[in-house]
Structure formats: structure tokens, C-alpha cells
Amino acid sequence: MAELRAPPVLHATGAPRSWRERWLAFRNRTVARPGFQRWAAGFPLTRGIARANTRALFDLCAGFVYSQTLFACVRLDLFAVLEPGPRTVDWLAVRLDLPPERCLRLLKAAASLDLLTRLPDGRFALADLGAALIGNPAIAAMVEHHAMLYDDLRDPVALLRGEAGPTRLSAYWPYADGARPEAVGPESVAPYSGLMAASQAFIAQDILDAYPLGTHRRLMDVGGGEGAFLAAAAARAPDLSLVLFDLEPVAARARRHFAAAGLAGRATAHGGSFREDPLPSGADLISLVRVVHDHDDDTVRVLLRKVRDALAPGGTLLIAEPMAGTPGAAPIADAYFGFYLLAMGTGRCRSPAELAPLLAEAGFARPREIATRRPLLTRLVTATAV
């Protein structure tokens, strides 16, 4: 008599489910039960996990309020006000033009987020996070900028389904929709060029610490904005020749900044679109600083091919940007940049492994990642033109 066996458990595709999948299904059913949740919150061995999960879920629900608390602090310039030292609630209320009870509400909220600290005498002072914001004006600029992102995310399902219509971020970044260069005027590039300059300066030193420039003679920064990265490179390598390539209205701003910084004799700015124009030749190092993740694969292929054509064999490409697969940074690449670039209308974060075939297709070899101080903010991949 044949042995009777239970039929295999199948998932949606019809294939047998693995033990891991069956375990996950059992666990999910168990954790979803309110009775189990109450038990886990009281049982000594699971109490800590249950409380941490409760806090994590609440933080996800309240995250917008937390970010708006930071926005209020930035808009009121609270951190700069407290830079000289602790202040009383009444003094701050007058300084910030807020009713005292509402000023206290903001101060307590900021303290709960470790932006401020409340002293035993009731005064408030900067905490480490608040103090760090003073030294990094790019963060404050991004906080202000996020008002547009929040507006675009007011209906995330409509955004995901492509039903949200034109977004504020796609209008803010005029190159996002592939507009022809002549359609991008000076008035449209001024806001984003300033933001790029502030945020590029924030990471330029990390890039240059990881990749010294002493072996190169000519650096071209493609999509370099107003030249913040090249200005930082100029300070590190006094003999290095510098070239910037960006849309003409942006390049015009870069020329003025180079002149103001005393770099007019070393740095030149060329206007054009890499989609339509060849890149200037002669550089032995070309950098793409937070450029690749702004574009979809088809556009990246065009960009990398243009870079390869501009380099002689043996020349180096340097890609620096936040990347997918960074340990401890999944929410940055997959959640923050995932939705930011969706609202912008183009681009995605890629891992170094995902960049490798695109580089090979364009004519680059030996892709290599170089460690940076803060990989959550920027990772660095180099490749050699063949």
C-alpha cells in the first residue's frame, strides 16, 4: 500500500514553499495576533523586543512630525541662536517671536529628538545634532528644500501609479525630464545650482580624502554645477588643471564663481548637454559627483559612453554618490532616494555591482570601490578607460 503524504505547500507561483517561507508565514500570523502582542509586551524574554518594535512603528507613523520639528528649528534659525550658549525659554520666545508656551513646546520637541538638551535650571542648549547642523549649512538647505518633496508625497500611491501629475521636484530640476538645453534658462537653474553647490561642498572633502589627485594632471567634473567640487579639488592639488561641463546657464554661474575664487586661470567651464554634445577631451580624470543616480539606465549608458569617448585609454572615471547596498543605509538608498528620485521623475540608486555592467558596456574595465569616511552619504567607484 502506497504511503500517504500531505501535498506540498505551494505559494502563489505554484512552486513548493521552502521551510523558511513556511516559518515566515507562521511567524507573521502569530505576531499579527493582538493577544500575542500583549503577551510579548509582558513576558520578560520578549518585553524588550516588543517595546522596541512598538517604538519603531510609532516612529514610522510620527516621522513627518519629527521632520517638521527640524524644519521649524531651521526656519527659525534656532541652532544659530543657541550657538553662543544656553538660553531661557522666555528669552528664546522673544527672540523667535513665539508665545512662550508654544516656544517651550518646540524646545521640548527638539530636545526629544536630541537636537537640543534641557539643563537642570530649565535653560536649553544645543545637543550634538543641533551643533552639527551649524557646521553643515547644506543640511539646513536640504531641510528647506524638502518642503517640495513633502508636497509631492502627499499622495504616495498616486505617485507610484503615475497618477500624481507634474511634481514640484521635476520642475525644480529642469534636466530631469530631458528638456532640450535651450529650454533651460538662467532663472530655472539658479535655485538648484545653489543647493547643489552647498551639498557638494558637504561631501567633497570625503571624496578627496579617499581619492588623492596627485597622480592626475587634468580633472573634468561633468554635471559639476557651480564648481564646488572643483574648487575643493583645486585646494588639494595646486598643479591640477580643472574643467567643468554642465548646461550653459549653469556653466555661466561656474565661471563667475571661479573668477571670484581666483581660479579663472586654472578652471574653465564648458556649456552643453551630454545627451547631445560631446564632452571636451584632454582630461585624464573625469568625475561624476552625484550625477549617475539622477538618471535612468538608458541615459546613464549615453553619459558613460560620452565620458569614455572623452578619455584616452588608461584614463580614470570617478563616480561618487549614495549607493544601494550600503550596510546600515538601506532606508537612505531605498526609501529616501527611492521616493525622492521617483518624485523627480528619473533615476535610482545603484550598487557598485549594478554599475559594473554599465561601465563595461561603455568601455571601462577594472571597476573598484574605494572606501570613504561616510559611506552613508557617498561611496566611490573608479574605473579605467580601455
Side-chain angles (χ1 to χ4, degrees), residues 38 45 82 111 121 136 144 157 163 215 218 224 232 249 256 259 265 279 284 287 301 332 334 340 365 379:
R38 290 194 300 272
L45 295 181
L82 285 173
D121 62 7
N136 295 294
E144 293 269 7
V157 175
E163 301 170 352
T215 60
R218 188 175 181 87
R256 293 194 291 271
L279 300 180
D284 62 331
S287 57
R301 289 187 176 95
I332 296 175
D334 296 333
Y340 186 101
R379 291 167 73 178

Side-chain angles (χ1 to χ4, degrees), residues 7-17 21-22:
V9 179
L10 303 179
H11 57 47
T13 64
R17 293 174 64 174
E21 289 175 322
R22 294 167 69 180

Side-chain angles (χ1 to χ4, degrees), residues 204-221 228-243 266 284-287 289 316-318 370 380 382:
Q205 302 305 328
D206 285 8
I207 298 170
L208 296 171
D209 286 342
Y211 189 87
L213 302 173
T215 60
H216 296 285
R217 56 178 177 76
R218 188 175 181 87
L219 164 64
M220 178 163 63
D221 192 25
F229 177 66
L230 288 183
R236 293 289 189 102
D239 297 326
L240 189 67
S241 176
L242 307 168
V243 182
R266 293 180 55 192
D284 62 331
L285 172 64
I286 294 180
S287 57
V289 180
T316 302
L317 167 63
L318 182 153
I370 300 174
L380 191 61
T382 64

Side-chain angles (χ1 to χ4, degrees), residues 180-268:
R180 294 184 64 82
E182 61 269 19
V184 180
E187 70 287 345
S188 64
V189 304
Y192 86 78
S193 293
L195 180 65
M196 284 179 61
S199 55
Q200 274 198 351
F202 182 58
I203 62 169
Q205 302 305 328
D206 285 8
I207 298 170
L208 296 171
D209 286 342
Y211 189 87
L213 302 173
T215 60
H216 296 285
R217 56 178 177 76
R218 188 175 181 87
L219 164 64
M220 178 163 63
D221 192 25
V222 176
E226 298 181 358
F229 177 66
L230 288 183
R236 293 289 189 102
D239 297 326
L240 189 67
S241 176
L242 307 168
V243 182
L244 182 141
F245 183 88
D246 211 316
L247 297 172
E248 175 52 37
V250 182
R253 296 175 64 88
R255 293 183 197 110
R256 293 194 291 271
H257 281 83
F258 289 152
L263 294 173
R266 293 180 55 192
T268 58

Side-chain angles (χ1 to χ4, degrees), residues 19-91:
W19 280 105
R20 183 173 186 271
E21 289 175 322
R22 294 167 69 180
W23 158 249
L24 289 173
F26 168 76
R27 185 205 65 180
N28 293 343
R29 289 194 301 270
T30 302
V31 173
R33 295 175 185 143
F36 175 81
Q37 294 173 16
R38 290 194 300 272
W39 172 83
F43 186 62
L45 295 181
T46 57
R47 184 184 302 146
I49 297 173
R51 291 178 178 176
N53 287 343
T54 300
R55 169 63 189 270
L57 282 172
F58 190 89
D59 284 347
L60 286 173
C61 295
F64 177 75
V65 178
Y66 300 162
S67 65
Q68 292 301 89
T69 299
L70 174 59
F71 180 74
C73 293
V74 169
R75 177 62 61 86
L76 292 168
D77 208 19
L78 176 58
F79 305 122
V81 169
L82 285 173
E83 183 178 12
R87 297 292 186 180
T88 66
V89 175
D90 290 340
W91 189 94

